[in-house]
Amino acid sequence: MSKALLDDLTWRGSIAQSTDRAELEKYLSSPGASLYLGFDPTAPSLHIGNLVALTLLRRFQLAGYKPIALVGGATGLVGDPSGRSAERSLNEADLVADWVDQIRKQLEGFLDFTGKNAAIMANNLDWTAPVSAIEFLRDIGKHFSVNQMLAKDSVASRLESGGISYTEFSYQVMQAFDYLELFRRHNCALQIGGSDQWGNIVAGVDLIRRVEAKSAHALTIPLLAKADGTKFGKTAEGAIWLDPTMTSAYALFQFFLNSDDRDVEQLLKTFSFKSRSELEALFESLKTNPGAREAHRELAREVTTLLHGADQAQKVEVAAKALFGQGEIRDLDIETLKSSLAELPKTRIKKGEEIPSWVDLVTSSGVVESKSAARRVIKEGGAYLNNEKITGEDFTPKSSDLLHGQFLLLRKGKRDLVAVEITD
RNA sequence: GGUGGGUUGCCCGAGUGGCCAAUGGGAGCGGACUGUAAAUCCGCCGGCUUAGCCUUCAGUGGUUCAAAUCCACUACCCACCA
């Protein structure tokens, strides 16, 4: 069981580093083995990058292990220096508390809290807040060597680039304390995380060995690297969020559908719960018939379904098909059109008001930043009304251009769509 | 504390009185090709009531017909010296 899982993870490229593999297998073979993964509240939602490790946690639960999802109500107040070239600015405590709630809800949707290996939700503020500074320094701090702390990547790189505050320097101790606490409370002896968390995780492994004289384990998953060298999950508009009010299901679907061919295999291995043979069939299709983008579509479909449900996933896929239409947009019946446009950003015009000129319409739709930019795009042939290229600057849409008398579909370039709706 | 250097458009970085909305590169955007991909090629890339006008080169004030470029002060950064 444990070996099969680890072999599968290895095939997926989901193991960056681990503590002794044989020992880890042994632990995973023991009854009731559990593992934990922590997230700090640094925003009101998790983002797609967080989903990498979260997916891994879910795999473990599906394989029969007990997952513990930890939200860093305490560590989020301090700030993790890992992967950061400069000091973080501290967030207000009540803001962080609010984010903890939001993230907790997202995590709850991702794991199963029933059954014999029901997931556990934890917040490190629960055990960190009651500890006094003196207790912390005597009981925990005493087990840490500053020499070793300084050697950690997260600290060493910061010492070279402008320094680090005592606050962030202490972060690894707090995370180690978390691991110790979960070890004590739930007998949890495996912590997983992104590969940037290795240093923080082994700090906990060391602490458990020193305090409890027991061995605990660490497993990290590689940070996703894109073929073009840019960071996964970031777009020009910002991060891809799991919260549908921050990144719509439609945008999420499009994000994955538009993946670089070279990245699709790794993305499927990372996020998909399909079997190895199913995935290999998709990789084959990617090679032999890349234009069909079957693998991209499955990827987009599966992630969207996982995060927003099958209904939503189905809807946005149908919408995308209709809007990028093989078919004629005017032929869509009103219901299909309406539900498709519902997935897009919207601009409204009051009924009875004149339809603005083409330049103004493109500007107010928000696909460009200024009128000058709108003029440029129009002149360059990048502005489309109802999927038809319109290059005339002095053009003004007429009421006969309205789809079903109340909608216009604007497009900038190949994929930037906006709906214009005439409202009462 | 002393001396010297720097602060330019999203980023890097040229420009040392007019020809500067400002060279070049990157990012971004549009087009062509294709597959809502990549690569490549072409174009764009401060704003506006767009053949013209307006506002930008850390900030403030000054010199000049004319300043990103000269002067003064302020703020921040860097280097060498103590």
Side-chain angles (χ1 to χ4, degrees), chain A residues 1-6 9 24-36 56-68 111-112 114 116-120 190:
Chain A
M1 185 69 196
S2 59
K3 186 167 188 320
L5 175 63
L6 290 178
L9 294 180
L24 180 58
E25 266 182 45
K26 211 157 92 190
Y27 171 66
L28 290 174
S29 305
S30 65
S34 65
L35 72 159
Y36 105 85
L56 182 60
L57 185 65
R58 188 177 154 95
R59 285 190 206 289
F60 272 97
Q61 180 167 39
L62 292 174
Y65 299 100
K66 189 174 190 65
I68 302 172
L111 299 165
D112 187 356
T114 62
K116 71 171 180 22
N117 61 333
I120 294 174
L190 172 61

Side-chain angles (χ1 to χ4, degrees), chain A residues 237-383:
Chain A
E237 289 77 44
I240 301 291
W241 301 100
L242 304 196
D243 183 335
T245 63
M246 294 170 74
T247 297
S248 71
Y250 175 81
L252 180 79
F253 188 90
Q254 292 294 316
F255 171 78
F256 280 104
L257 185 66
N258 286 326
S259 299
D260 191 319
D261 286 12
R262 295 168 294 176
D263 294 328
V264 171
E265 179 169 332
Q266 186 56 54
L267 289 173
L268 275 167
K269 281 177 171 172
T270 303
F271 292 117
S272 175
F273 287 90
K274 290 185 199 309
S275 70
R276 179 166 176 170
S277 60
E278 283 175 292
L279 290 179
E280 277 169 345
L282 286 173
F283 301 159
E284 189 56 31
S285 141
L286 186 65
K287 263 184 225 126
T288 54
N289 188 10
R293 290 190 297 166
E294 197 187 332
H296 297 69
R297 204 169 293 282
E298 274 304 322
L299 172 67
R301 205 178 272 158
E302 191 170 352
V303 177
T304 309
T305 301
L306 190 63
L307 292 177
H308 305 309
D311 272 10
Q312 267 298 310
Q314 169 81 12
K315 264 190 211 163
V316 298
E317 188 177 352
V318 169
K321 259 192 186 140
L323 298 174
F324 283 101
Q326 281 73 25
E328 171 61 42
I329 184 90
R330 288 177 177 281
D331 293 345
L332 289 181
D333 66 80
I334 179 117
E335 284 315 312
T336 310
L337 180 69
K338 254 189 187 165
S339 60
S340 302
L341 293 178
E343 309 301 334
L344 301 179
K346 241 186 227 75
T347 306
R348 288 168 221 280
I349 300 171
K350 276 250 189 270
K351 197 171 193 165
E353 278 179 24
E354 274 183 55
I355 301 177
S357 72
W358 189 221
V359 171
D360 287 335
L361 196 60
V362 170
T363 309
S364 63
S365 72
V367 290
V368 293
E369 278 166 9
S370 66
K371 276 192 185 179
S372 301
R375 287 205 176 85
R376 272 197 297 274
V377 168
I378 291 169
K379 194 169 64 189
E380 290 167 340

Side-chain angles (χ1 to χ4, degrees), chain A residues 203-248:
Chain A
V205 171
D206 283 343
L207 181 64
I208 290 169
R209 194 182 54 244
R210 293 201 172 110
V211 176
E212 301 288 330
K214 298 267 175 56
S215 69
H217 312 274
L219 176 71
T220 60
I221 184 163
L223 300 179
L224 283 176
K226 286 208 295 178
D228 63 7
T230 59
K231 207 172 170 184
F232 170 76
K234 290 268 190 276
T235 67
E237 289 77 44
I240 301 291
W241 301 100
L242 304 196
D243 183 335
T245 63
M246 294 170 74
T247 297
S248 71

Side-chain angles (χ1 to χ4, degrees), chain A residues 122-197:
Chain A
N123 181 347
N124 57 18
L125 192 63
D126 293 348
W127 56 80
T128 308
V131 177
S132 75
I134 290 174
E135 286 174 308
F136 187 74
L137 290 173
R138 286 180 66 95
D139 299 344
I140 306 299
K142 198 67 177 171
H143 299 288
F144 284 81
S145 138
V146 167
N147 308 37
Q148 281 185 24
M149 290 172 71
L150 288 172
K152 306 256 187 220
D153 258 9
S154 56
V155 176
S157 64
R158 282 282 291 279
L159 288 178
E160 282 165 27
S161 68
I164 184 168
S165 67
Y166 182 68
T167 305
E168 289 196 8
F169 178 61
S170 313
Y171 186 91
Q172 51 178 297
V173 181
M174 291 188 71
Q175 187 164 332
F177 180 40
D178 289 343
Y179 197 174
L180 175 64
E181 197 61 26
L182 290 174
F183 179 84
R184 284 171 169 164
R185 293 182 176 210
H186 302 292
N187 219 9
C188 172
L190 172 61
Q191 181 181 174
I192 63 172
S195 56
D196 59 336
Q197 288 298 309

Side-chain angles (χ1 to χ4, degrees), chain A residues 373-393:
Chain A
R375 287 205 176 85
R376 272 197 297 274
V377 168
I378 291 169
K379 194 169 64 189
E380 290 167 340
Y384 303 75
L385 177 66
N386 299 334
N387 282 338
E388 258 178 74
K389 187 182 285 190
I390 308 258
T391 52
E393 263 192 48

